[in-house]
Amino acid sequence: MTKSGGGSNVMWGGRFAGGPSALMRQINASIGFDKRFWRQDIAASKAHAAMLGAQGIIPAEDAGQIAAALDRIAGEYEADGVPEDQALEDIHMHVEHRLAELIGPAAGRLHTARSRNDQVATDFRLWVRAAIDEVDAALTAFQRVLVARAEQHAESVMPGFTHLQSAQPVTLGHHLLAYYEMLRRDRSRFADARARLNENPLGSAALAGTSFPLDRDSTAAALGFDRPTANSLDAVSDRDFALDYLMAAAQCSLHLSRLAEELIIWASQPFAFVSLPDDFSTGSSIMPQKRNPDAAELVRGHSGRISGAMVSLVMTMKGLPLAYSKDMQDDKPPVFEAHDLLMLSVQALAGMVEKTRFNTDRMRSAAEAGFATATDLADWLVRAAGLPFREAHHIVGRAVKLAEDKGVGLAGLAVADLQAIDPLIDSRVFEVLTVDASVRSRTSYGGTAPDRVRDQIRRARDMLG
């Protein structure tokens, strides 16, 4: 192989009389970020070499030499990291260059019936597939934390909010399981993305396929793909799999941001619903009393960066003609950044939820303070007095106004006060006006009643295995 530097380029060979300028090398090089592919690149190269040898396209002896040398390179990279030489541009050329240093001209046979276009498409799919598996494991662990904390608080009463106003009492277990459900959907989106990406581009070559008698099924099987891609033009230019990952990551990050925001609000002194653990909080450089929820705030901030990464790749791919364009070199940094931020966010939030102390007495007091059982009174009027709900709603509105004027909760009103509003009300109504009675009554499937929460916990544990 021609050494880097000098006149002709190491890759382009005789087509160019002169080498690229230093600035061209800088803008063209991707080794600074695509070195993260080294495991995938070596795995795909080994599969390709084995297939070439089995098909008689290259000598079996050369295929064996290539495989052994690739294993040696993998050991070097594992021990010392990947060197960065801008003249070699990317991880693919770094591997091939080192291969030539180890085994000489036989290294040049590896690129038979292969282009960097199908090579990078294959490596990228392998990397995203591994990233999805990593995220799924982290989300599963987080779900286990949520289910465990929900079980501890299946009966702990807290205010449920709409518009951040007290709405109806719920249980803390029910609230935590809402995030379990969000993560369940997130995992399903990642699983769908994984199923779609699991096709092998290797063998598509530059864009048109190849005249060599490849066995693409064998390389697909060797790399754990379900099948080869069906169209070579699409295979080398497709980045839907990366977009699928980013869109799933962005939506997942929105769910994480919502929980982070709730922890931030709940940890504030006016709420005081939670005490965050020391190892996920920070102090102030000037105010010694401060206990800042920085981990949660960073998770909230990361969601913007992850969504930005998704938009970045959307805009990169918009309007690109078939097949490959160099714009697509910029496909990898947003995926790498989003993945790193998402993993940090999931693990940090899981740690926070696992160690947070919930101030359930404070939660109960807040639930009792906001006329949260008003709907229970309306429902009682519908059931016990046979009133249409809209009429009951109007009556309860008057009762709330009276309780507000008297400075008491609905349960603090006397029967005579309630009967002055509507004579159909009797003392039985007090059976539904406590927050405990309210949550116990919400027995519909998916409701907040402790028995229903425990049902959902059992189902969640069955799903998690």
Side-chain angles (χ1 to χ4, degrees):
M1 176 179 283
T2 307
K3 296 291 185 182
S4 60
S8 63
N9 181 275
V10 67
M11 236 175 335
W12 306 330
R15 174 64 179 85
F16 288 76
S21 70
L23 189 58
M24 180 60 196
R25 283 185 176 177
Q26 184 177 355
I27 195 174
N28 197 46
S30 59
I31 185 59
F33 52 83
D34 68 19
K35 64 183 180 181
R36 290 178 69 154
F37 282 168
W38 73 261
R39 292 178 179 84
Q40 290 77 24
D41 194 73
I42 287 175
S45 292
K46 287 182 67 176
H48 186 64
M51 181 274 297
L52 292 176
Q55 292 294 103
I57 297 171
I58 66 173
E61 181 182 355
D62 287 348
Q65 274 192 296
I66 289 169
L70 288 171
D71 285 337
R72 178 173 170 181
I73 295 169
E76 293 173 353
Y77 287 176
E78 192 71 65
D80 303 321
V82 180
E84 294 186 29
D85 182 350
Q86 285 192 350
L88 295 174
E89 293 189 14
D90 56 29
I91 185 59
H92 321 297
M93 291 310 301
H94 276 69
V95 171
E96 191 170 333
H97 181 76
R98 179 60 179 145
L99 192 65
E101 290 179 337
L102 293 175
I103 64 174
R109 297 191 185 279
L110 176 59
H111 211 53
T112 306
R114 186 177 74 170
S115 163
R116 278 198 301 173
N117 292 356
D118 63 338
Q119 191 176 358
V120 68
T122 303
D123 293 357
F124 202 4
R125 284 183 188 238
L126 289 171
W127 191 94
V128 171
R129 189 177 70 187
I132 288 173
D133 292 343
E134 190 176 12
V135 170
D136 185 71
L139 291 175
T140 301
F142 192 5
Q143 285 182 304
R144 294 186 194 282
V145 170
L146 289 166
V147 169
R149 298 310 308 266
E151 188 167 37
Q152 293 169 5
H153 293 285
E155 297 189 19
S156 300
V157 175
M158 66 172 290
F161 298 98
T162 61
H163 308 278
L164 207 54
Q165 305 291 309
S166 291
Q168 293 177 307
V170 297
T171 60
L172 175 56
H174 189 58
H175 194 108
L176 292 172
L177 288 180
Y179 286 99
Y180 167 88
E181 292 297 324
M182 294 182 208
L183 299 188
R184 182 181 61 80
R185 294 192 298 275
D186 290 326
R187 289 183 62 201
S188 74
R189 276 182 281 272
F190 283 115
D192 289 345
R194 192 189 195 283
R196 277 191 296 275
L197 74 77
N198 210 35
E199 297 183 346
N200 182 26
L202 195 59
S204 299
L207 75 161
T210 177
S211 59
F212 290 97
L214 303 185
D215 182 355
R216 295 189 62 208
D217 289 308
S218 73
T219 54
L223 294 171
F225 288 113
D226 294 330
R227 64 191 69 84
T229 51
N231 183 286
S232 58
L233 277 168
D234 176 57
V236 299
S237 60
D238 167 47
R239 292 298 183 271
D240 285 1
F241 62 91
L243 288 167
D244 279 350
Y245 176 85
L246 287 174
M247 290 175 182
Q251 195 151 355
C252 181
S253 76
L254 298 182
H255 294 151
L256 301 179
S257 181
R258 294 181 73 178
L259 177 54
E261 172 69 3
E262 291 204 313
L263 290 173
I264 292 163
I265 292 172
W266 292 355
S268 66
Q269 284 82 1
F271 270 78
F273 283 3
V274 300
S275 296
L276 297 180
D278 288 349
D279 42 351
F280 289 98
S281 304
T282 65
S284 166
S285 63
I286 190 173
M287 293 168 286
Q289 84 282 8
K290 292 294 292 299
R291 184 185 183 86
N292 298 327
D294 282 14
E297 291 172 349
L298 288 167
V299 169
R300 186 176 60 184
H302 288 169
S303 68
R305 293 173 63 187
I306 293 169
S307 296
M310 181 268 292
V311 173
S312 171
L313 186 54
V314 167
M315 297 312 296
T316 295
M317 296 304 298
K318 183 189 73 67
L320 289 186
L322 293 177
Y324 181 85
S325 297
K326 194 68 170 181
D327 313 45
M328 292 165 67
Q329 181 166 290
D330 286 337
D331 56 1
K332 289 165 279 296
V335 176
F336 294 158
E337 180 185 26
H339 179 68
D340 292 346
L341 292 173
L342 185 63
M343 289 297 297
L344 267 177
S345 297
V346 172
Q347 291 166 345
L349 266 187
M352 292 181 72
V353 172
E354 185 174 31
K355 296 182 178 182
T356 286
R357 181 171 65 84
F358 294 100
N359 302 325
T360 52
D361 289 344
R362 172 64 180 161
M363 289 181 166
R364 170 180 286 274
S365 296
E368 292 172 339
F371 305 108
T373 58
T375 304
D376 297 275
L377 176 53
D379 290 346
W380 184 90
L381 288 167
V382 171
R383 287 194 305 268
L387 294 178
F389 182 82
R390 285 301 172 201
E391 185 177 343
H393 185 284
H394 181 72
I395 292 169
V396 173
R398 292 169 60 196
V400 168
K401 178 66 169 64
L402 178 61
E404 195 171 46
D405 291 342
K406 287 178 172 287
V408 298
L410 286 172
L413 292 174
V415 175
D417 293 329
L418 292 169
Q419 288 179 332
I421 295 171
D422 193 287
L424 294 174
I425 300 175
D426 60 49
S427 60
R428 292 175 300 163
V429 75
F430 293 102
E431 297 173 2
V432 303
L433 291 184
T434 67
V435 292
D436 290 302
S438 177
V439 297
R440 282 197 303 268
S441 72
R442 307 296 174 183
T443 56
S444 58
Y445 180 81
T448 195
D451 287 347
R452 297 290 76 77
V453 171
R454 292 190 180 96
D455 287 344
Q456 294 303 324
I457 287 169
R458 284 191 289 271
R459 290 186 180 92
R461 290 196 187 283
D462 288 344
M463 291 181 68
L464 292 170

